[in-house]
Amino acid sequence: YEADIDVIPADGPYIIVNEYELSDEAAQLNFGDNAGFNIQLKNVGNATAPAGTMTLSSESEYVNITDGTAEFTSINSNDILDLSEAFAFTISDEVPNKTSIAFTISISSGDDTYESYITMKAYAPVFQIGSVTITEIEGNGNGRLDPGERISLEFPVTNRGNAASRETYMELAMNNVFMQITSNPVITANSIAVNETMTVAYEVYVGGAPSGFPAEYSLNVVSGVYTASEGFMSKIGLNVDNFETGVFNTTLWTNDLPYPWTFVTDDPYE
């Protein structure tokens, strides 16, 4: 285990950042935030610290410091000084979720300079697209795609990140010529909260396609730079025999094996 230990001189003042909090009373830093720090200084030395200046800096590409300087009055030994809205900064609206951002506070008082460090995480949305559900609006009720049917394709979209999204667009795209979107291909949500699942549905007409044609389509989710995309494939016009007619479909099967298949009615497998 390793850690940094502050070495405080036996005589003279010594200023530390005793406490800090976000000045907008937010619980966390989110993408695109205009934020800042309330700072509490403490003189842990045995002499009065002269009035001075402190500055905020960061090497992170995801933060822009808009007010990085604050002045403070003298601080007596063992006293604290609260500085409300001491610093201001903005978080990039492109920051990846759970990015750690390190800040350095340099404190100048008289001939002495002290440094304190703050590390906070910034949060953003992360989208996850679930499995498609096919619902027949007008069809034969077999739960599959067949030519001439009107169906609904339904997709669950979940925000697995740690910040609610801003305006979010979910667009269905057909990557085949046999399926036509008959509703609006783009659905808009004002926001998707953390861990919220929004189900989006699109009406689609299934045209004439060769039997068993693998129809590909995709759903794209966009909210600023935060995106997700998932491809899907459903076959059109499958010839499926469930054997419930009690006879073999001679166009699909032959039954001339030494041990032929037979139909049973007792305890059938479903």
Side-chain angles (χ1 to χ4, degrees):
Y1 175 79
E2 295 181 358
D4 293 329
I5 299 176
D6 290 329
V7 179
I8 300 173
D11 292 306
Y14 196 93
I15 301 175
I16 64 169
V17 173
N18 193 49
E19 293 182 1
Y20 67 90
E21 64 181 1
L22 292 174
S23 57
D24 59 1
E25 299 183 353
Q28 64 183 37
L29 286 179
N30 291 334
F31 70 105
D33 272 357
N34 293 313
F37 286 129
N38 297 329
I39 300 293
Q40 184 184 85
L41 299 179
K42 183 175 183 179
N43 180 3
V44 296
N46 61 3
T48 298
T53 303
M54 61 180 181
T55 59
L56 179 72
S57 62
S58 177
E59 296 183 357
S60 173
E61 63 183 300
Y62 298 112
V63 63
N64 177 40
I65 296 173
T66 55
D67 184 0
T69 304
E71 296 181 350
F72 58 90
T73 59
S74 61
I75 311 173
N76 293 328
S77 175
N78 290 319
D79 276 0
I80 60 174
L81 178 64
D82 290 311
L83 299 169
S84 179
E85 299 182 350
F87 302 117
F89 54 89
T90 60
I91 300 298
S92 168
D93 55 9
E94 298 183 1
V95 64
N97 189 42
K98 296 184 179 180
T99 296
S100 291
I101 298 179
F103 297 90
T104 300
I105 297 179
S106 297
I107 305 168
S108 296
S109 172
D111 295 330
D112 297 318
T113 299
Y114 317 94
E115 286 193 343
S116 292
Y117 306 95
I118 296 173
T119 299
M120 297 193 72
K121 285 187 176 181
Y123 299 99
V126 177
F127 298 111
Q128 181 183 67
I129 302 172
S131 300
V132 63
T133 298
I134 299 174
T135 301
E136 295 181 25
I137 300 173
E138 295 177 0
N140 57 18
N142 64 5
R144 298 186 296 272
L145 301 185
D146 291 300
E149 290 184 337
R150 190 163 63 91
I151 63 167
S152 174
L153 297 179
E154 300 162 10
F155 306 87
V157 177
T158 303
N159 180 1
R160 296 297 187 193
N162 295 90
S165 72
R166 295 177 180 172
E167 194 168 46
T168 304
Y169 304 92
M170 291 150 284
E171 181 176 11
L172 178 65
M174 288 299 162
N175 305 319
N176 70 90
V177 298
F178 298 109
M179 297 174 69
Q180 178 183 355
I181 304 170
T182 57
S183 61
N184 192 334
V186 180
I187 294 176
T188 304
N190 290 331
S191 175
I192 300 179
V194 175
N195 290 325
E196 178 186 2
T197 297
M198 178 179 182
T199 299
V200 290
Y202 306 85
E203 290 190 10
V204 174
Y205 176 76
V206 183
S211 178
F213 177 81
E216 296 183 348
Y217 47 97
S218 59
L219 184 70
N220 303 298
V221 179
V222 177
S223 180
V225 301
Y226 306 103
T227 64
S229 182
E230 193 71 36
F232 301 87
M233 189 276 288
S234 300
K235 292 188 176 182
I236 300 175
L238 285 175
N239 289 318
V240 178
D241 196 337
N242 58 18
F243 304 108
E244 291 182 357
T245 60
V247 296
F248 288 107
N249 186 334
T250 57
T251 62
L252 296 176
W253 304 97
T254 58
N255 193 26
D256 57 357
L257 299 174
Y259 303 97
W261 292 3
T262 58
F263 292 99
V264 296
T265 58
D266 295 334
D267 193 23
Y269 174 79
E270 291 290 345

